[in-house]
Amino acid sequence: MARPDTVIILAAGQGTRMKTGWAKVMAPLCGQPMIAWVVAQALALEPRRILVVVGYRGDEVAAAVANLDPQGRIVTVVQAEQKGTGHAVQCCLPELGPDPGRVVLLYGDMPLLRTESLELLCTEQAATHDGVALLTASPSDPRGFGRIVRAADGSVARIVEEKDASSGERTIREVNLGVYAFDGKFLVHALPRLEANNAQREYYVTDVVAQFARDGRKALPVELGDVSEAIGVNTLVHLAEARAALQRRILEGHMLAGVFIEDPATTYIAHGVKIGAGTHIAPCSVIDRGCVIGAGCRIGPFAHLGERTTLDDGAEIGNFTETKRAHLGKKSKAKHLAYIGDAELGERVNVGAGTVFANYDGKHKHTTRVADHSFLGCGTVLVAPCSVGAGATTGANAVVTRGTQVGAGELWVGVPAKSKGRKNAGSA
Ligand code: UD1
Ligand code: CA
């Protein structure tokens, strides 16, 4: 693959069509902000550096991208006033210098592009030598995308925005995806020549493509077969479409690795979750960011594994149970109606229906430890911090108060729970 020297990501716009007030690129998408998906696209191309143009609520966006590259290739560039995509790239001129090599431009609102498509784009640009290659697609609904006006030889003559297009141009089905690989030297020559004489009074980066064509350079369209990659997020409706498509990719990855997902339509698994083979996920289950699930586990139906839940092999989380920052050892089970937050459970622990780990005292979160083979009776409340020793039992509706240490093998009952001493050997 012809690697780019620099990847520029445009992420300064507010996204007024979202009507949310967020910076659009911070929209949540399967466990990470949209911009993180786009930075991942850029990283896959292994450029020398990545320039992220930020503006509206730029501090948040800059913070979100700051730690995404362990090699520290990400640099943020500020576009104080949003005067269009061309203006945003102009803001990168001081960073680019006179000969920046191959430059790939991505928009922060196109989270579905695949690495293979971007690699193909770079290869095609390399073949033009000093030209530009850009991704296009022909979706059934062009919904606001710029249209590709082709020259007689099949190259791109120019791109016309929907708002500037004649009625004839609007019937063109081929659209601009806003993904370009430029000869950097001509890009930096063309950028200062942009004009804002269009319907939106903005500097369009798309006009740079027309400058390549006018200069007798190649402007090569690279048409994508898979239009599902072409979802651009301008509204919350588009965000839902993008989420569904990305979710499908995540689920397919797990299914192909041997995770039995009964009903993909009602299963939500965040980006980056790890799941072992042979685990069975029943319908209507949600698995948040940072969860690590072993092999042969059973989850759901109607389970919510909140952030940073770890299940060791064979653990089970059943109906209407929520976990959060919890670790369940091998074969531990919470099959019905429980909340397990900030908890460390050993192996083969049984969490009875209705058990609550009361982890929050109104100010701080505290941790509860429950050792191997213990049995929490239905309706037990464990007020954190507290601990339950190995093989101990709590009776139905026991309230284990803050700071209590239930001894190994003991039985505790009542409100507040009191020890009834050690159980007979073998009882559980
Ligand atoms: C743009 C393209 C259009 C293409 C479409 C594909 C232009 C002029 N139009 O239109 O041809 O079909 O994308 O997705 O480029 N941004 C900035 N600063 C600005 C303006 C925008 O950083 O001043 C960023 C936005 O945050 C966004 C991206 O650039 O991530 C695209 O901007 P947007 O307004 O969504 O462009 P479109 O109207 O979708
Ligand atoms: Ca857009």
Side-chain angles (χ1 to χ4, degrees), residues 10-14 17 24-25 53 79 81-85 87-88 107-110 144-147 159 161 175-178 180 200 202-206 232 234:
L10 301 192
Q14 173 176 0
R17 289 165 280 182
K24 175 166 71 174
V25 297
V53 183
Q79 182 195 22
E81 229 185 306
Q82 286 76 59
K83 299 190 217 163
T85 52
H87 178 250
Y107 293 169
D109 62 356
M110 297 285 295
F145 280 57
R147 307 296 204 277
I159 297 162
E161 292 306 297
V175 301
N176 170 37
L177 297 187
Y180 322 78
Q200 305 185 83
E202 285 187 355
Y203 297 92
Y204 292 165
V205 81
T206 44
N234 292 326

Side-chain angles (χ1 to χ4, degrees), residues 121-142:
L121 180 76
C122 290
T123 306
E124 295 282 339
Q125 193 281 331
T128 70
H129 300 295
D130 57 5
V132 57
L134 53 136
L135 289 186
T136 74
S138 299
S140 50
D141 174 10

Side-chain angles (χ1 to χ4, degrees), residues 171-306:
T171 64
I172 297 172
R173 281 194 49 218
E174 189 179 13
V175 301
N176 170 37
L177 297 187
V179 185
Y180 322 78
F182 295 103
D183 170 66
K185 215 169 171 177
F186 190 74
L187 172 68
V188 298
H189 165 81
L191 278 171
R193 291 168 173 74
L194 290 176
E195 287 174 29
N197 48 9
N198 51 55
Q200 305 185 83
R201 298 262 143 246
E202 285 187 355
Y203 297 92
Y204 292 165
V205 81
T206 44
D207 290 345
V208 168
V209 175
Q211 288 197 51
F212 271 85
R214 279 204 301 275
D215 198 62
R217 287 157 192 263
K218 193 94 184 153
L220 189 72
V222 178
E223 192 164 359
L224 277 189
D226 178 4
V227 293
S228 79
E229 286 184 57
I231 300 176
V233 176
N234 292 326
T235 67
L236 287 175
V237 175
H238 302 154
L239 181 68
E241 284 174 32
R243 195 210 63 80
L246 283 169
Q247 183 63 94
R248 186 78 207 175
R249 282 188 200 170
I250 292 170
L251 295 174
E252 283 177 4
H254 289 300
M255 288 189 274
L256 291 171
V259 178
F260 173 35
I261 298 173
E262 254 183 88
D263 183 18
T266 62
T267 303
Y268 294 72
I269 301 181
H271 165 77
V273 168
K274 294 186 173 57
I275 310 178
T279 284
H280 175 174
I281 302 176
C284 301
S285 295
V286 176
I287 304 179
D288 289 341
R289 191 166 190 178
C291 289
V292 179
I293 295 158
C297 295
R298 192 182 156 108
I299 294 162
F302 299 98
H304 180 191
L305 271 58

